[in-house]
Amino acid sequence: MNEKLTGGPAEKKESAPRVRFAPSPTGHLHIGTARTALFNWLFARRYGGRFILRVEDTDRARSTKAFEDSIIESLQWLGLNWDEGPDIGGEFGPYRQSERLKIYKEYAEQLLKDGVAYYCYCSQRELENERKRALDEGRMSMYGGRCRNLTVAERRLHELADNPKVIRFNVQKHNSSKIKYNDLIKGEISISPEVVGDFIIMKADSMPTYNFAAVVDDLTMSITHVLRGDDHITNSVRQIMLYNALRKPAPTYGHFSMILGSDKAKLSKRHGATSITEYRDRGYLPEAIINYLSLLSWSAGTEKEIFSLKELAEEFSIERVSKSPAIFDQGKLDWFNGRWLRELPAAVLAERITPFIAVAGYNVEEFDMEAIAMAIQSNLTTLAEAPAYARIFLEEVKYTPEVSEELDTDKAKEVIREIWERLEAAEEIDIDSAKTILKETVAVMKTKGIKGRDIYHPLRLALTGETSGPELFFVINALGRRRAVACLRRLLDGN
Ligand code: GLU
């Protein structure tokens, strides 16, 4: 093999792992693919290695820059940073396959020269007929090898006719015995080369196929471990064959089991949101998604369930990744989201609910978002629920006729007047002063024989128009002194 190939494998043998996440920018980041990114990231961080982002955009018809940007944004949102990638470069770049065409071409030419690859001129129609025949005869359909041994004259004829051509890999040339490898997750995998037809490595448009580009890239980027979904197991076998032909050692492979929906079918749109952007827009926290995805196929071997990304990076081990498929449980993700929402400091929660409240049409500038965040924090399962729970603080309070009637009693008015006076006299309100005012109101009311529910119920109705909701000190704090005073005053004035 010619060692002077462009971007040839780095000779320096690093012991630290180099792993890559290699999305095709043909859609948003899928939740299952995000797990692949997460586990690669964790593997790199846990073992002091490097995490590389490579964009596999050789499917020119389906790849878009917008999807690439979206994937990058989702990875950043999840907190999965990379050490080398198309946006930041690195020693082994470029990191976008469409910018590496020269490298694939050189490697393909080398395989042609070594006699392990050949030009194939078969037309689509011929291939289709071959497929149909195999199907009719109940045989497995694979390329029959018509162009494998073309004579020089036959090739010349095709060239003269300018027939479109692809480059195929001569599978059996270098792979006569069973291909075996030890999968880090699945254990030993073996496959007989006879079931693999001579597959295409370079397409008619001179673009590499996925398997070929992945091998050239993993090789030239010195990737040590390839960790991906088990839908790639058959690809891994093909890729190992290519390494054999290139006389280079293959990286270590590990394949994660699929994530299935509750009906045991592969997770898809049918099961609800599938992309990270959708989850973000539905008000899920990156912390919760990371935590849930990690436990979907990995366990620490303890009872511990709540893990931050940092903790995961310290505790992750590939040995504890499960072999069996994972069932995606929306309810469990909701539970994690609620848990993580309650962990957030009020100021951070305020920042995160603000866009959702703005999108719901409220002018967020007018309100104390942190106070609102504190009031609704324990109710939230997702950020998207924030506008509904916060509505009582964002809109002028409205009373149904029944509520107005309930508030229009001497007893209720006495309570309202008492608290109004204290709020009116207060400086700015915070949680502590709201608690004090409530306590004092209760104490005074007690002397007048009004207690318990007869105090809290009319107060809640007066301030929110609702019969239930957050603790009253949260309500007062979230409304703010000025708005609480105004609404109580209106009631006392009988409007
Ligand atoms: N671009 C491939 C995909 O998105 C990457 C597979 C791999 O990790 O090699 O499925």
Side-chain angles (χ1 to χ4, degrees):
M1 184 81 211
N2 179 357
E3 286 299 335
K4 287 200 301 269
L5 288 168
T6 307
E11 287 312 325
K12 57 175 184 212
K13 271 275 153 274
E14 288 176 72
S15 53
R18 289 178 55 82
V19 294
R20 83 307 192 270
F21 175 57
S24 303
T26 54
H28 298 291
L29 183 63
H30 183 274
I31 191 101
T33 325
R35 182 196 53 173
T36 298
L38 169 64
F39 282 6
N40 274 284
W41 186 90
L42 289 175
F43 190 83
R45 298 297 173 251
R46 174 74 173 76
Y47 302 109
R50 292 180 66 88
F51 177 63
I52 291 127
L53 175 65
R54 180 170 81 220
V55 173
E56 302 207 326
D57 59 349
T58 52
D59 182 345
R60 302 310 290 155
R62 292 173 59 226
S63 300
T64 70
K65 183 70 173 54
F67 282 135
E68 178 186 317
D69 292 345
S70 160
I71 291 169
I72 285 186
E73 209 183 289
S74 291
L75 290 170
Q76 283 166 339
W77 182 75
L78 288 170
L80 306 177
N81 59 325
W82 45 97
D83 307 306
E84 297 164 32
D87 53 339
I88 53 171
E91 213 187 315
F92 298 82
Y95 294 90
R96 211 176 266 116
Q97 287 189 330
S98 57
E99 293 163 20
R100 299 174 62 81
L101 301 182
K102 189 169 154 266
I103 309 177
Y104 309 127
K105 190 162 173 269
E106 283 180 50
Y107 272 82
E109 277 165 7
Q110 189 63 46
L111 289 178
L112 285 169
K113 218 191 283 166
D114 290 348
V116 285
Y118 57 88
Y119 285 111
C120 167
Y121 301 88
C122 293
S123 66
Q124 284 306 325
R125 172 123 51 85
E126 282 168 317
L127 294 173
E128 197 42 49
N129 288 341
E130 193 172 290
R131 235 189 316 271
K132 274 205 195 107
R133 246 192 332 273
L135 219 67
D136 291 346
E137 292 166 14
R139 282 186 290 115
M140 206 167 77
S141 154
M142 71 168 97
Y143 180 62
R146 195 190 345 253
C147 295
R148 195 183 291 139
N149 297 307
L150 290 183
T151 61
V152 175
E154 283 169 328
R155 268 204 59 196
R156 188 163 313 131
L157 277 180
H158 281 298
E159 291 292 334
L160 281 175
D162 211 12
N163 288 337
K165 60 175 186 262
V166 300
I167 301 177
R168 283 187 189 270
F169 177 55
N170 189 339
V171 167
Q172 282 173 38
K173 189 94 176 209
H174 258 286
N175 301 283
S176 44
S177 55
K178 255 188 172 357
I179 303 291
K180 267 197 208 144
Y181 81 92
N182 212 358
D183 193 288
L184 269 185
I185 296 155
K186 306 264 177 183
E188 190 178 284
I189 306 266
S190 81
I191 188 169
S192 165
E194 284 103 67
V195 301
V196 182
D198 288 355
F199 55 89
I200 298 173
I201 56 172
M202 292 294 273
K203 297 183 263 189
D205 61 0
S206 299
M207 282 288 177
T209 55
Y210 154 70
N211 276 313
F212 186 56
V215 165
V216 173
D217 289 346
D218 289 340
L219 182 62
T220 54
M221 291 180 180
S222 285
I223 299 300
T224 58
H225 296 75
V226 170
L227 310 172
R228 57 189 170 199
D230 64 8
D231 48 338
H232 284 290
I233 285 187
T234 53
N235 287 328
S236 296
V237 172
R238 285 175 170 77
Q239 293 177 15
I240 289 170
M241 290 175 174
L242 285 166
Y243 280 101
N244 290 345
L246 291 164
R247 296 193 191 89
K248 295 286 175 196
T252 302
Y253 290 95
H255 291 89
F256 310 117
S257 296
M258 287 285 102
I259 301 181
L260 308 177
S262 48
D263 55 357
K264 310 265 165 73
K266 194 178 161 190
L267 198 65
S268 71
K269 277 262 159 256
R270 216 160 34 78
H271 298 101
T274 51
S275 72
I276 295 298
T277 41
E278 272 175 280
Y279 278 102
R280 185 197 57 200
D281 296 347
R282 289 181 189 200
Y284 288 84
L285 301 180
E287 293 90 337
I289 293 179
I290 291 283
N291 195 163
Y292 179 61
L293 280 182
S294 68
L295 294 188
L296 202 51
S297 336
W298 170 84
S299 85
T302 62
E303 294 290 293
K304 183 170 167 176
E305 279 202 296
I306 301 299
F307 288 93
S308 66
L309 195 51
K310 189 166 166 284
E311 288 169 316
L312 286 168
E314 283 158 10
E315 297 192 34
F316 181 77
S317 68
I318 196 83
E319 293 81 23
R320 299 201 66 87
V321 171
S322 162
K323 267 188 202 189
S324 27
I327 311 282
F328 190 84
D329 178 348
Q330 184 62 46
K332 193 81 206 227
L333 173 60
D334 288 349
W335 181 84
F336 274 107
N337 209 54
R339 264 303 297 262
W340 275 100
L341 274 167
R342 274 175 267 306
E343 297 282 321
L344 295 181
V348 176
L349 180 59
E351 250 171 55
R352 304 228 189 154
I353 60 173
T354 298
F356 287 87
I357 290 181
V359 162
Y362 299 104
N363 181 4
V364 288
E365 304 289 312
E366 281 176 29
F367 304 98
D368 179 348
M369 280 307 184
E370 196 169 325
I372 291 177
M374 277 186 226
I376 65 174
Q377 185 156 24
S378 64
N379 294 107
L380 294 179
T381 301
T382 67
L383 297 169
E385 293 168 350
Y389 282 113
R391 188 191 50 80
I392 51 174
F393 309 119
L394 303 166
E395 293 177 9
E396 197 158 297
V397 58
K398 288 187 201 72
Y399 307 108
T400 61
E402 297 77 51
V403 169
S404 298
E405 204 175 304
E406 265 193 79
L407 290 174
D408 198 17
T409 63
D410 289 345
K411 227 158 130 188
K413 287 222 164 124
E414 205 158 341
V415 179
I416 292 168
R417 176 172 306 280
E418 186 61 36
I419 199 156
W420 170 77
E421 271 173 10
R422 283 167 197 284
L423 284 169
E424 171 78 356
E427 309 259 295
E428 267 319 294
I429 290 290
D430 59 17
I431 295 274
D432 287 337
S433 53
K435 277 184 182 166
T436 309
I437 286 175
L438 277 165
K439 218 186 267 163
E440 288 169 359
T441 306
V442 168
V444 173
M445 287 298 107
K446 219 170 180 181
T447 64
K448 299 188 176 172
I450 304 175
K451 49 187 183 212
R453 196 186 125 82
D454 286 344
I455 304 169
Y456 294 114
H457 182 65
L459 276 185
R460 179 176 299 286
L461 286 181
L463 292 168
T464 69
E466 308 276 343
T467 52
S468 63
E471 296 267 18
L472 278 176
F473 55 83
F474 278 138
V475 170
I476 294 168
N477 184 46
L479 280 172
R481 179 185 161 278
R482 190 180 52 79
R483 291 171 64 226
V485 163
C487 114
L488 297 173
R489 183 70 252 168
R490 264 192 299 128
L491 282 171
L492 292 172
D493 292 346
N495 326 311

